Every structure is written in structure tokens, then in C-alpha cells.
Amino acid sequence: MTMQVGEFLPSSDGASVRRAVRGSRTRMRLTLRGKIVTGLLAAAMCFAGVTIGATQAESSIPPQQVTSYTVRPGETMWSYASNITPSGGNVNETIDKLVKMNNLHSTSLQVGQRLIVPQE
């Protein structure tokens, strides 16, 4: 009588009993070639993840020379921007540029606050 793994056999009391064939569980081991292939596959997946995840930083403002300015008592964004805006220029555009360059959430300034200002 041949038995298959997990085959049900009747027992002496009439109930079915699951019995396994001796030696049916073997331990799986990787050969040297399997280890090399697994290592190369893991390295390729890491390389692909790094390559796909890498992106180049971009900015809407072109590179330019800048200087630092410390806000004085009584200054507002409008008063400072009107002082550095070239004659005939738009003060609102200067304010927009300062807000973007300094990553500000509003145009209100604090005494002692440092601003990055384009050199012109």
C-alpha cells in the first residue's frame, strides 16, 4: 500500500486519521549559484530603487547673487521693498520675490528678522 502526504486513513475506531509519509519534510538549501543569483537580484533591486528615486532639484528662481538684511524697528515689507526696487519698477513684484526667496508665509516682518535679498 502506498501513501501520499496528508492522506486520510481509517483508524481502528472508524475515525479518519491524517498520517504523513516519513521523510516528506526536507529542508531546502540554496546552492552557491542560488546564493549568487539571489545576491545579484537584491543588488539590482536596490540600484533600481536608488536610480528611480533620485530627482534633480529645480527652482523657479534663477541663480543670482544675494546678501543678507536685518529688519529694523518700524520697517514693513512695503517700506523695505520700495527702498530696494529700482526706479520705475513694481514694488509688488519685489515683495513677491522677497516672499519666495525667504519662504515666508506672510508679508509681516519682525525686528531682527534676517532676509535674503538679491544684489542688484
Side-chain angles (χ1 to χ4, degrees):
M1 172 182 202
T2 60
M3 290 178 43
Q4 298 294 321
V5 175
E7 181 179 341
F8 288 92
L9 296 174
S11 65
S12 59
D13 62 352
S16 294
V17 177
R18 182 178 236 170
R19 302 214 175 137
V21 176
R22 181 181 266 187
S24 65
R25 293 189 184 245
T26 60
R27 194 167 181 191
M28 190 165 114
R29 298 180 187 198
L30 285 177
T31 63
L32 178 61
R33 182 175 64 183
K35 290 176 184 177
I36 291 171
V37 169
T38 303
L40 289 174
L41 185 61
M45 289 174 57
C46 289
F47 178 75
V50 169
T51 304
I52 292 171
T55 59
Q56 186 173 359
E58 295 180 17
S59 175
S60 61
I61 301 172
Q64 57 186 318
Q65 294 288 327
V66 294
T67 187
S68 177
Y69 176 77
T70 304
V71 177
R72 297 182 185 143
E75 280 188 315
T76 63
M77 181 66 85
W78 182 268
S79 65
Y80 179 68
S82 62
N83 287 338
I84 65 169
T85 302
S87 62
N90 187 343
V91 178
N92 285 322
E93 289 178 4
T94 303
I95 291 173
D96 289 342
K97 185 184 263 187
L98 289 172
V99 168
K100 284 181 185 177
M101 288 181 74
N102 292 280
N103 197 22
L104 300 175
H105 300 291
S106 72
T107 57
S108 60
L109 299 176
Q110 302 292 324
V111 175
Q113 182 178 359
R114 299 190 85 178
L115 297 174
I116 297 171
V117 182
Q119 284 182 341
E120 295 188 39

